[in-house]
Amino acid sequence: MRHYRVAVLGGDGREVHVAERLARDGHEAVCYGQRTAASNGVRVATTVGEAVRGTEWLILPSPGLNGDLIYAPDAPEPIVLDGALLEESAAREGGVVMGRSTPKLDEIASRMGIQIFQLKDDPGLATRLSTGVAEGVVRLLIELTHRILREHRILVVGYGVTGAVIVDYLVAAHCAPHVAARHPRWLERARQCGATPVAYDDRADAMAAADIIINTVPSTSAIPPEAFARLRDRLVVDIASPPGGLDHDAARSAGVQVHWPRGLAGGRAPLTAGDAQYAFIAKAIATRDSVSIASTSLGEPE
């Protein structure tokens, strides 16, 4: 296996763990923009330019981009992923690993001959991360409320991989959650697991009847603006990736108490989440290696 220079940018403790695993595998790893101090052979850069310069791989956080900003709550300044930053790297020889790309970044990378590997394309990764996310949500609800959870009326919007695990945890805590989902099979599955199903088109009325709304759907229409006036004394927790499950600014202007926690899996279980993401990264590097070896072995025609 070829050893690369790798820059791990932003994120949280899971990205630091990823960098340490890369270093243990013989790569030259450098971190920038995390609060947790890296060790075990990982260099910490003082600027993003220093971190990226000459590196063949850029590793970005799982939550993906917000516009062109990398998720980096602990960085001393915003980290912008644009053509100028990519030009400082040698990512044409490796690639970029990130949660989710954008059309703008796709165009820039294609023009520069840089391959992007998106964590969202691994169907098993969300499942491996969902338990940490669910535990993070439960911990947040406990911190934000003044009654035990089962005394609250809770609505979960969306019953995908993460929504289902959140519901499982709430049922295990003797709550009686309601679930709003699009597909009848998901609603029936939620019923079988101990939740009360709600047709997705009826979610606004269900929100008004709830004390806590947990949104997992990555669409700004998941919590529609017409519901805001009925949610002023409700707790809304949006765990969807950017741009989120509602218009946050409009909701707050309407007096809705919105919490948009980011990096829940990394905040709750950075080693578990880091191991899951590292498996994807190692596979991406191996895939790139196999392409390079095949191209080299073909050589030039005689």
Side-chain angles (χ1 to χ4, degrees), residues 6-24:
V6 185
V8 181
L9 306 178
D12 45 45
R14 64 182 134 175
E15 276 70 36
V16 173
H17 183 56
V18 163
E20 291 174 343
R21 289 203 58 177
L22 286 165
R24 287 203 300 270

Side-chain angles (χ1 to χ4, degrees), residues 37-90:
S39 57
N40 300 320
V42 178
R43 183 167 60 86
V44 179
T46 57
T47 67
V48 65
E50 176 193 341
V52 168
R53 198 166 298 119
T55 56
E56 292 99 351
W57 284 90
L58 303 184
I59 309 299
L60 277 57
S62 174
L65 297 178
N66 187 2
D68 56 1
L69 294 180
I70 296 172
Y71 172 69
D74 299 318
E77 58 187 6
I79 305 175
V80 179
L81 183 62
D82 56 13
L85 187 63
L86 290 173
E87 281 287 0
E88 293 194 52
S89 75

Side-chain angles (χ1 to χ4, degrees), residues 131 134-135 138 141-142 148-151 154 156 159 163-179 190-196:
T131 298
E135 291 185 0
V138 171
L141 295 181
I142 291 171
I148 59 175
L149 292 183
R150 71 184 183 203
E151 293 184 9
I154 303 175
V156 179
Y159 197 68
V165 179
I166 291 172
V167 170
D168 288 345
Y169 268 72
L170 293 174
V171 170
H174 303 287
C175 300
H178 287 60
V179 174
R191 187 199 308 275
Q192 291 174 344
C193 292
T196 300

Side-chain angles (χ1 to χ4, degrees), residues 1-6 19 21-30 41 57 278 282 285 289:
M1 180 183 69
R2 177 181 171 184
H3 292 153
Y4 291 94
R5 292 167 293 176
V6 185
R21 289 203 58 177
L22 286 165
R24 287 203 300 270
D25 281 352
H27 300 288
E28 181 183 335
V30 57
W57 284 90
Y278 182 76
I285 292 175
D289 277 349

Side-chain angles (χ1 to χ4, degrees), residues 51 58 63 85 109 168 178 205 216 221 244 281 296:
L58 303 184
L85 187 63
D168 288 345
H178 287 60
D205 289 337
T216 69
S221 64
I281 293 165
T296 302

